[in-house]
Amino acid sequence: MQIGPSAGAAQTGTAPAQSNANMASLRVFVFALFFIFGGITSLNDVIIPKLKDLFTLSYAQAMLVQSAFFAAYFIVSLPAAAIVRRAGYMRTAVAGLLTMTVGCLLFIPAAASGLFATFLAALFVLAAGITIVQVVANPLISMLGAPATASSRLTFAQAFNSLGTTVFPYVGAIVILGSLAQVDQATLDAAALAAYRAAESQVVVHTYMGLAIALAVVAVMVWLNRNKLAEHTNPEGSIWSAFDLLKQPRFAFGALCIFLYVGAEVAVGSIIVNYLMQHDVLGLGQEAAGKHVPLYWGGAMVGRFLGAYVLRVCSPGKVLAVAGGIAAVLLAVSATGTGAVSGWSLLAIGLVNSIMFPTIFTLASEGLGERAAEGSGLICMAIVGGAVVPLITGYAADVAGLRMSLAVPAVCYLLILVFGWYARKPLQRG
């Protein structure tokens, strides 16, 4: 899935001078961070159908995976910004990576327990670490080079994020979904069911144990290079003053649209596997459907390069409005169509998603000046939409069916269309 400028950990004051060699090596680490947290986040789209089948969950219950994951953004973002203020970027990045490692390792006791709730707890801890890393990554990449080229560096870094969201689901579909045993759980007694769940959970455990090892290695490498970044810490000041920015209509509307966008993007990504498995869509098996998830996220990677040019020659607000409208139309086509048209219309939404987060962020933050970092913190909190909208979509799927549930993200995209048109002109602040 793709995330833009993040929480209010932006550097205060002027950045100390960095050597070219140090900046080059640190950029490699930051690119790796984007790849890792993008990939692990999108792996949820593969975990959801696995746990749904394993624990015989309803769609709404399965969407609790996203709720547990994205709730961390709301809870952890501002505290993470405070950690950066006191400890600096590199040490905070290590703390985030280690928290992610702990989250991955918690899948071991989760599998042993055979309880869905313990998987949700592990995912929350994992997401808390991702939130901390994300709070660090965007402002850090902006520091590592000339201010005039900060946008191109951030765009390039986000390409690694999209690469992660494209690669991880494909591999995850093979490793996690490909091994799914064909067992009728209704025929199992309580003891046999517990044993079945524990055995099938092991494939998830092995996947996340591998990720834990990789994260620990990266954490050690970042720690060994922590002194390459010359930075000032600033333990003073309250992080709660950022909420005053919600009194500004354009910023408040933009923050709401971040909530809606992330929620819609995650909701669509979360139902792709089950949607493509329907007999009147593509009728695919679970593993084959899972292998289509990277096309959704890969579309965002392609769209980012195309959108970067379009946004240079067209009004960002108008481009955002058009993208929101196209997304809503694609959802309508998918909900009312059948066969390949229905399936590929849903997958194509990834392409128009590509420009939404950075464009909404830029339009909402326009004119904030010295308060841009505080605004960034609130926008990161708004990513909690990824916890709320998918859950509503899941309830809608249980009540009205998977096709009708597409109305939920469609409404989100229509409101994004309205914001794009509302913010199409440069903001004049007094």
Side-chain angles (χ1 to χ4, degrees):
M1 174 192 100
Q2 191 245 302
I3 302 295
S6 52
Q11 188 182 28
T12 57
T14 303
Q18 315 290 332
S19 73
N20 289 334
N22 283 349
M23 285 194 294
S25 63
L26 290 173
R27 280 196 290 265
V28 173
F29 287 123
V30 179
F31 295 152
L33 296 181
F34 273 91
F35 176 80
I36 290 168
F37 71 69
I40 292 178
T41 299
S42 66
L43 202 56
N44 286 353
D45 297 337
V46 176
I47 287 292
I48 285 174
K50 176 73 172 184
L51 296 180
K52 183 178 184 299
D53 182 88
L54 197 57
F55 293 98
T56 57
L57 305 172
S58 68
Y59 285 111
Q61 291 170 326
M63 288 300 187
L64 287 173
V65 168
Q66 300 291 24
S67 296
F69 198 88
F70 283 92
Y73 283 95
F74 185 77
I75 297 171
V76 178
S77 292
L78 290 182
I83 295 172
V84 174
R85 184 176 293 172
R86 288 164 174 76
Y89 287 96
M90 300 297 285
R91 288 170 175 78
T92 305
V94 173
L97 288 164
L98 292 178
T99 303
M100 291 170 66
T101 303
V102 171
C104 289
L105 293 176
L106 285 176
F107 277 84
I108 299 174
S113 72
L115 299 174
F116 179 54
T118 57
F119 280 98
L120 296 181
L123 283 163
F124 178 84
V125 175
L126 175 60
I130 289 175
T131 303
I132 296 170
V133 170
Q134 220 168 297
V135 165
V136 170
N138 284 305
L140 181 55
I141 195 64
S142 298
M143 291 171 56
L144 298 176
T149 58
S151 294
S152 70
R153 285 195 305 278
L154 183 55
T155 300
F156 188 64
Q158 288 173 344
F160 282 89
N161 182 279
S162 293
L163 180 62
T165 62
T166 303
V167 172
F168 274 57
Y170 186 84
V171 176
I174 296 172
V175 175
I176 295 174
L177 298 182
S179 65
L180 195 63
Q182 299 301 315
V183 175
D184 183 0
Q185 297 186 44
T187 64
L188 303 179
D189 59 27
L193 181 61
Y196 165 74
R197 287 175 173 172
E200 280 295 304
S201 297
Q202 287 306 306
V203 67
V204 179
V205 170
H206 295 156
T207 301
Y208 281 89
M209 282 182 64
L211 289 173
I213 294 170
L215 288 167
V217 171
V218 175
V220 170
M221 294 176 68
V222 174
W223 178 258
L224 293 176
N225 287 273
R226 67 192 182 281
N227 294 324
K228 287 186 176 181
L229 179 68
E231 54 179 321
H232 296 308
T233 56
N234 178 22
E236 303 300 326
S238 171
I239 59 176
W240 304 110
S241 61
F243 288 100
D244 292 341
L245 293 174
L246 294 176
K247 297 176 182 177
Q248 301 181 22
R250 179 153 161 170
F251 177 82
F253 196 178
L256 172 63
C257 284
I258 290 292
F259 177 96
L260 296 172
Y261 161 69
V262 175
E265 179 193 47
V266 172
V268 172
S270 298
I271 65 173
I272 283 175
V273 173
N274 290 111
Y275 200 82
L276 298 184
M277 289 172 64
Q278 294 187 116
H279 66 86
D280 59 347
V281 181
L282 295 183
L284 300 175
Q286 194 170 53
E287 181 181 357
K291 289 180 179 179
H292 281 69
V293 173
L295 298 176
Y296 176 71
W297 297 108
M301 180 170 60
V302 173
R304 184 164 298 116
F305 291 109
L306 296 175
Y309 171 75
V310 173
L311 289 168
R312 290 174 60 186
V313 298
C314 300
S315 162
K318 292 179 181 178
V319 174
L320 179 64
V322 170
I326 292 174
V329 169
L330 288 171
L331 283 166
V333 170
S334 186
T336 57
T338 58
V341 171
S342 180
W344 287 101
S345 294
L346 193 68
L347 291 169
I349 293 171
L351 187 66
V352 291
N353 277 342
S354 58
I355 60 95
M356 288 191 187
F357 194 107
T359 306
I360 296 171
F361 176 86
T362 302
L363 293 173
S365 302
E366 187 176 347
L368 291 183
E370 294 181 355
R371 303 199 67 186
E374 296 174 76
S376 184
L378 284 182
I379 286 176
C380 193
M381 290 184 68
I383 294 173
V384 73
V388 178
V389 177
L391 187 60
I392 297 172
T393 305
Y395 277 116
D398 290 331
V399 173
L402 205 53
R403 285 181 176 275
M404 293 304 297
S405 72
L406 296 181
V408 177
V411 170
C412 296
Y413 285 122
L414 288 173
L415 288 172
I416 291 170
L417 182 160
V418 173
F419 173 71
W421 188 253
Y422 166 78
R424 68 191 184 278
K425 296 180 180 178
L427 182 65
Q428 301 295 328
R429 294 188 188 271

